């Protein structure tokens, strides 16, 4: 599902953010990306979702070489991805319901199905009672859960999550991680960037540790 070959990313005037990364992630596989701050975790996710271009190397997502996709093709690529950003990227003037529904609207889902699916996913992240609220009225943890609901509602083939539990208490962290692992069990390929070692210990999934932009360890 995701293949990275000899991947490099160098920002002008800086040390390499990624340095000769090779990684293959299969369909339905759940992988933790871990490593210290600045190790390259977020950069790797941005490259996979075509938010940035590599300095050199190949990225193949769902059998498609990203180097051969022009800018017009990127939105189509992302229709099959769910992404949870560290800074949420919620629309402040749209309600919680509307923020989550936006994913389905882009996919052309019928209105009656949009309501059913958005209501269901908001209940799964314990935010059904906040459907009419606006993001500025929510706590950081609640905004995080809205972002996760938005990423999951379209049943994406690939889910990329950058520190998805960073603003959640321990109980909600477990609930959200259980949602992500359930997605993987249903066939979604899931990559979760985290520095939370308690998650690695609890879920016992494949773990790729980055160090100074290199793959230092790939543990089943």
């Amino acid at each position: 599902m995701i293949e990275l070959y000899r991947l490099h990313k160098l920002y002008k005037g800086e040390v390499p953010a990624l340095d000769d990364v090779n990684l293959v992630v299969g369909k339905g596989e759940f992988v933790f990306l871990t490593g210290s701050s600045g190790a390259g975790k977020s950069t790797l996710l941005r490259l996979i979702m075509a938010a940035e271009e590599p300095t050199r190397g190949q990225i193949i997502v769902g059998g498609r070489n990203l180097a051969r996709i022009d800018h017009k093709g990127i939105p189509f690529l992302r229709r099959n991805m769910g992404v949870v950003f560290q800074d949420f990227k919620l629309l402040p003037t749209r309600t919680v319901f509307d923020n989550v529904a936006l994913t389905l609207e882009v996919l052309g889902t019928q209105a009656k199905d949009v309501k059913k699916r958005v209501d269901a996913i908001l209940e799964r992240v314990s935010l059904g009672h906040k459907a009419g609220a606006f993001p500025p009225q929510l706590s950081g943890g609640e905004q995080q859960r809205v972002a996760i609901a938005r990423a999951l509602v379209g049943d994406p083939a690939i889910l990329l999550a950058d520190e998805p539990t960073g603003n959640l208490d321990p109980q909600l962290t477990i609930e959200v991680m259980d949602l992500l692992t359930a997605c993987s069990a249903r066939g979604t390929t899931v990559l979760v960037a985290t520095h939370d070692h308690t998650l690695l210990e609890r879920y016992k999934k494949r773990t790729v540790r980055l160090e100074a932009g290199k793959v230092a360890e790939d543990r089943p």
Side-chain angles (χ1 to χ4, degrees):
M1 182 57 70
I2 298 172
E3 302 168 66
L4 311 177
Y5 298 110
R6 306 299 302 268
L7 195 63
H8 292 75
K9 181 62 179 180
L10 178 63
Y11 294 104
K12 188 175 181 180
E14 298 183 16
V15 297
L18 293 173
D19 187 3
D20 199 27
V21 170
N22 295 279
L23 183 66
V24 176
V25 181
K27 178 177 171 57
E29 193 171 4
F30 188 112
V31 177
F32 282 119
L33 295 175
T34 190
S36 59
S37 179
K41 303 186 299 296
S42 297
T43 298
L44 189 61
L45 295 182
R46 288 197 298 271
L47 291 175
I48 292 170
M49 66 173 291
E52 297 185 20
E53 296 180 359
T55 304
R56 63 180 184 274
Q58 286 193 323
I59 304 171
I60 300 171
V61 177
R64 302 185 68 191
N65 191 326
L66 298 196
R68 298 175 182 168
I69 299 176
D70 60 21
H71 289 292
K72 292 180 181 179
I74 290 175
F76 182 80
L77 173 78
R78 291 179 183 164
R79 286 186 178 190
N80 293 314
M81 289 186 184
V83 182
V84 182
F85 301 95
Q86 281 183 307
D87 57 353
F88 315 138
K89 297 192 184 301
L90 301 177
L91 300 174
T93 59
R94 303 279 296 266
T95 64
V96 166
F97 183 97
D98 288 341
N99 267 279
V100 177
L102 186 61
T103 295
L104 297 178
E105 291 168 3
V106 169
L107 294 173
T109 307
Q110 293 186 349
K112 64 177 182 179
D113 292 327
V114 169
K115 177 166 175 48
K116 181 179 179 181
R117 290 170 67 173
V118 173
D119 286 345
I121 196 65
L122 287 178
E123 288 298 330
R124 286 172 67 190
V125 297
S126 304
L127 284 176
H129 63 297
K130 295 284 189 177
F134 292 89
Q137 298 172 321
L138 305 178
S139 68
E142 288 170 336
Q143 291 185 53
Q144 184 83 306
R145 282 182 281 154
V146 175
I148 291 166
R150 181 183 59 193
L152 294 177
V153 73
D155 291 325
I158 296 172
L159 179 66
L160 309 176
D162 196 353
E163 302 287 355
T165 61
N167 293 297
L168 304 181
D169 62 38
Q171 181 57 42
L172 282 172
T173 291
I174 291 171
E175 290 177 12
V176 165
M177 288 303 304
D178 286 348
L179 276 175
L180 300 186
T181 54
C183 283
S184 176
R186 292 196 299 269
T188 298
T189 301
V190 180
L191 270 70
V192 176
T194 184
H195 63 269
D196 187 343
H197 289 280
T198 62
L199 295 183
L200 309 184
E201 290 298 320
R202 180 182 179 90
Y203 289 94
K204 305 293 185 184
K205 300 292 186 179
R206 178 183 174 190
T207 300
V208 175
R209 180 169 60 86
L210 297 177
E211 188 175 300
K214 293 178 177 289
V215 175
E217 182 180 20
D218 188 343
R219 186 174 71 247

